[in-house]
Amino acid sequence: MTLLILLAILAGALYIFYVGLIKKRNAAIEAFSGIDVQLKKRHDLIPNVLTIAQKFMEHEKNLLTEITELRTRADAKVDVNVPEELRAKFTAETQLNDKLKSLFVAVENYPNLKSDATMLQAQQIYNEVEEHISAARRFYNSAVTELNNAVHIFPGSLVAAIINVKDMPYFEASERERKEVNAAEILK
Amino acid sequence: MPFAKTVSAGTFIEREPYEKGFTDFFERNIKERLVEVEKQRFVFLDQYRRRKKVAVALYSAELAITIFLFYIIQDESVLLLSFFVAVFIFGWMRQPVSKYHSHVKEGIISKLIKFFGTLAFSENGKIDGNILRDASVTPVFQHYTGSDHISGEYDGVPMEMCEVKLENEGRKNNKHIVVFIGEIFHIRLRKPFHGRTVVKRDGGLLGNLLNAQFSGSQRVKLEDPKFEGIFDVFSTDQVEARYLLTTAFMERLLALRDMYSKNGSIKCEFFSNHLFIMVETGTNLFEVGDIEKSCLDTEDIHRFLGQMHSVFQVIEVLKLNKYTGL
């Protein structure tokens, strides 16, 4: 009888861990889909930016080609259950963002392009999109932290191994983004 | 004669970056008004002191009459009548003070707010009660009084603020119970929000659980430990909540709390195209001008500019004046 009660308690505890893990994994997947929506906005903006840029930036053809290639790589479908695929997507997105930033810096050297109304609007939308991506990334990373803690800490790690729930990679900001400091904010 | 006194206002010395340019503004628009109001203060103070002496005499007489009548008639209605007479005398005595306060508000605050933008001041105006009812952070109320309404545009963003007192009727009697007293800021946004995001005082584990259960929203865990220790965030849209609650916004909200009500509570809510900020101060914010104190002291002006600046910082940090359609 005692053994049965102990087994029932153990089964109950394992079930609770199982439910917790599944909930956390689903929350992380939901958070990833939130990022995907925001990244799609970034991708949709790129053709418009490139069309305007091509008219003026003849010396930056390499950069424009790189952006197009990276966009294609970042746009590829991924399986959320495969951490390597997610990691590859995030790396491509980070590189794409770095190149886009380089493009907007290069725009400064082309006065006609810099003052072009469409380009100005595109830059404003790009900044807004980046803020949305940053928000989605914060939500995703928060959900991933909860999942990874549950997957790595015993006895959650045991349950995770049985039901094959894996940890998920963080979507980290690039070195360039981390280094960027808004001087105006500091000097306020 | 009160007018015989010589009155002159000093110079405003800029102390904070947001006060830049105010010295000129002060010289052009405020200084002269301050002197006028100060002169008026002497008149009102003189009236008030005279009335105070008369009121003391009236109170003494009233007390004697009340004791006498109560002894003769032995009826409680005598006490009630006496109470109303006492209230009337008090109101009459304080009338010059109220008039002086109105004078300060209409004469100075209405001019001061012009420094920030196309803003107007109305002592008896208030925010539309229906908007207050739409917000979920507002406690349930049956009676609403508002005053010191500031409205207009800051940096192209329509905004209004006013002092608010919300009351409910007691269950057993009709006695009014105050459920909120403080300042409410209402900012009309150009960016419509899809979800409803609420920032309120940390309610503890049980409070958070009940809150999330009944409001249909989820708790949003943020990275800033200081902010997390003071506030709890609930939202129907986790991503949107993080879009709004950036590190800069969290800092501004904490600054706003420190500026208005260090010990009181501050709540805010984003929904559709509204941003609501409720600061429970427990006192009237614009009760400037103690009649016994000179209004030429610029310290009150520094405080007022700081408080207004904190509100406008929230608008700036949220880029509420920019609309990109996202």
Side-chain angles (χ1 to χ4, degrees):
Chain A
M1 187 63 183
T2 318
L3 187 68
L4 271 176
I5 292 169
L6 281 174
L7 278 173
I9 291 171
L10 185 68
L14 284 175
Y15 180 72
I16 289 167
F17 275 104
Y18 166 76
V19 171
L21 270 170
I22 298 297
K23 272 189 173 178
K24 285 178 176 102
R25 187 182 64 176
N26 289 347
I29 291 171
E30 186 199 337
F32 174 76
S33 64
I35 286 189
D36 224 22
V37 170
Q38 302 305 331
L39 291 175
K40 180 85 172 53
K41 286 184 191 168
R42 182 197 271 170
H43 297 174
D44 290 346
L45 184 67
I46 292 170
N48 296 325
V49 174
L50 293 185
T51 312
I52 314 160
Q54 268 162 356
K55 287 184 200 165
F56 300 89
M57 302 170 84
E58 284 186 5
H59 303 293
E60 313 283 350
K61 274 197 172 144
N62 281 345
L63 179 61
L64 302 183
T65 316
E66 271 182 287
I67 290 173
T68 313
E69 282 170 6
L70 280 167
R71 178 182 181 265
T72 315
R73 257 176 60 202
D75 231 1
K77 285 245 176 266
V78 290
D79 183 349
V80 285
N81 295 313
V82 184
E84 290 72 28
E85 283 189 26
L86 281 176
R87 226 167 261 131
K89 181 180 174 66
F90 291 152
T91 309
E93 285 293 349
T94 309
Q95 287 170 347
L96 175 63
N97 193 30
D98 281 348
K99 292 293 172 194
L100 274 172
K101 280 189 192 300
S102 303
L103 175 76
F104 285 121
V105 170
V107 165
E108 299 290 317
N109 300 325
Y110 299 85
N112 289 340
L113 181 57
K114 195 181 157 187
S115 56
D116 184 88
T118 325
M119 185 48 114
L120 285 171
Q121 198 192 4
Q123 271 183 310
Q124 200 182 343
I125 294 174
Y126 168 77
N127 290 337
E128 183 84 12
V129 167
E130 287 310 311
E131 281 177 29
H132 282 276
I133 292 173
S134 167
R137 182 167 57 202
R138 283 164 69 200
F139 177 41
Y140 170 78
N141 286 343
S142 157
V144 164
T145 303
E146 290 207 6
L147 171 71
N148 290 359
N149 285 344
V151 167
H152 293 152
I153 299 167
F154 182 82
S157 53
L158 188 73
V159 182
I162 297 167
I163 60 172
N164 197 29
V165 171
K166 289 177 186 159
D167 57 359
M168 286 171 82
Y170 288 103
F171 183 13
E172 284 163 358
S174 70
E175 280 301 312
R176 184 180 181 151
E177 276 175 278
R178 278 184 216 162
K179 276 179 193 164
E180 272 176 13
V181 176
N182 188 344
E185 278 294 313
I186 292 170
L187 295 171
K188 261 181 192 173
Chain B
M1 281 290 286
F3 280 113
K5 295 186 182 183
T6 313
V7 176
S8 65
T11 311
F12 183 88
I13 297 161
E14 292 168 16
R15 294 199 297 226
E16 302 291 339
Y18 55 79
E19 291 175 349
K20 198 178 172 200
F22 189 78
T23 308
D24 275 354
F25 183 85
F26 179 82
E27 293 292 327
R28 278 187 283 112
N29 306 293
I30 309 291
K31 201 170 179 176
E32 213 172 295
R33 290 295 299 153
L34 268 182
V35 172
E36 279 173 36
V37 171
E38 180 68 359
K39 282 178 182 171
Q40 282 295 311
R41 189 179 73 85
F42 291 131
V43 177
F44 288 125
L45 183 63
D46 196 46
Q47 267 182 22
Y48 173 60
R49 283 179 179 163
R50 271 190 279 123
R51 286 192 184 196
K52 214 154 112 176
K53 283 176 192 163
V54 176
V56 170
L58 286 173
Y59 274 132
S60 312
E62 193 214 356
L63 186 70
I65 293 167
T66 306
I67 293 168
F68 175 72
L69 284 177
F70 190 68
Y71 181 73
I72 303 282
I73 307 171
Q74 300 270 315
D75 195 318
E76 284 175 359
S77 58
V78 171
L79 298 176
L80 194 70
L81 182 71
S82 169
F83 172 74
F84 284 120
V85 172
V87 169
F88 177 78
I89 295 170
F90 184 77
W92 173 79
M93 181 189 79
R94 295 282 302 174
Q95 203 186 31
V97 178
S98 311
K99 277 187 181 170
Y100 170 66
H101 284 166
S102 296
H103 219 71
V104 172
K105 287 173 185 173
E106 295 290 349
I108 300 176
I109 293 179
S110 60
K111 291 260 185 291
L112 276 178
I113 53 169
K114 301 273 185 227
F115 178 65
F116 295 99
T118 50
L119 299 166
F121 175 80
S122 159
E123 196 185 347
N124 300 314
K126 59 181 183 181
I127 297 170
D128 181 1
N130 291 326
I131 301 171
L132 292 190
R133 285 196 167 85
D134 285 345
S136 70
V137 281
T138 319
V140 178
F141 64 93
Q142 285 158 318
H143 303 281
Y144 161 39
T145 16
S147 62
D148 297 342
H149 185 239
I150 292 176
S151 62
E153 281 195 2
Y154 173 77
D155 208 5
V157 180
M159 58 85 64
E160 57 180 336
M161 59 190 273
C162 78
E163 278 170 9
V164 170
K165 188 177 179 185
L166 302 176
E167 291 168 297
N168 255 339
E169 276 173 19
R171 279 185 188 173
K172 287 179 184 169
N173 49 31
N174 287 340
K175 208 176 162 188
H176 288 191
I177 301 161
V178 177
V179 287
F180 175 82
I181 183 160
E183 196 73 19
I184 294 189
F185 306 92
H186 173 222
I187 297 157
R188 213 174 269 274
L189 316 163
R190 289 192 185 169
K191 297 174 186 179
F193 298 109
H194 309 294
R196 201 178 264 267
T197 299
V198 169
V199 180
K200 52 170 79 172
R201 206 175 180 164
D202 191 346
L205 200 66
L206 188 67
N208 291 344
L209 202 71
L210 291 171
N211 224 319
Q213 207 69 36
F214 291 108
S215 63
S217 53
Q218 289 178 321
R219 170 116 152 75
V220 178
K221 287 181 191 163
L222 297 166
E223 303 88 342
D224 185 339
K226 189 182 173 195
F227 190 85
E228 272 286 299
I230 299 167
F231 297 113
D232 277 331
V233 181
F234 298 90
S235 181
T236 52
D237 187 330
Q238 290 269 356
V239 174
E240 192 172 80
R242 284 171 173 87
Y243 169 74
L244 296 165
L245 301 168
T246 56
T247 323
F249 178 80
M250 289 190 258
E251 276 173 21
R252 300 290 188 269
L253 203 63
L254 285 170
L256 195 69
R257 185 191 79 117
D258 291 347
M259 190 59 87
Y260 281 90
S261 150
K262 232 169 193 163
N263 302 316
S265 75
I266 182 167
K267 293 188 263 189
C268 81
E269 178 173 3
F270 297 88
F271 68 100
S272 58
N273 64 334
H274 305 282
L275 163 59
F276 249 91
I277 303 175
M278 296 179 73
V279 189
E280 200 155 6
T281 53
T283 53
N284 285 347
L285 189 71
F286 295 131
E287 282 318 315
V288 285
D290 175 358
I291 197 161
E292 302 279 354
K293 232 177 77 187
S294 166
C295 71
L296 300 175
D297 181 11
T298 53
E299 211 47 51
D300 280 341
I301 297 178
H302 282 290
R303 186 172 55 86
F304 180 78
L305 294 179
Q307 287 173 332
M308 293 301 285
H309 171 73
S310 303
V311 181
F312 299 136
Q313 282 279 289
V314 172
I315 296 177
E316 279 174 14
V317 82
L318 285 171
K319 297 186 190 73
L320 299 171
N321 52 344
K322 287 176 191 154
Y323 180 65
T324 55
L326 290 168

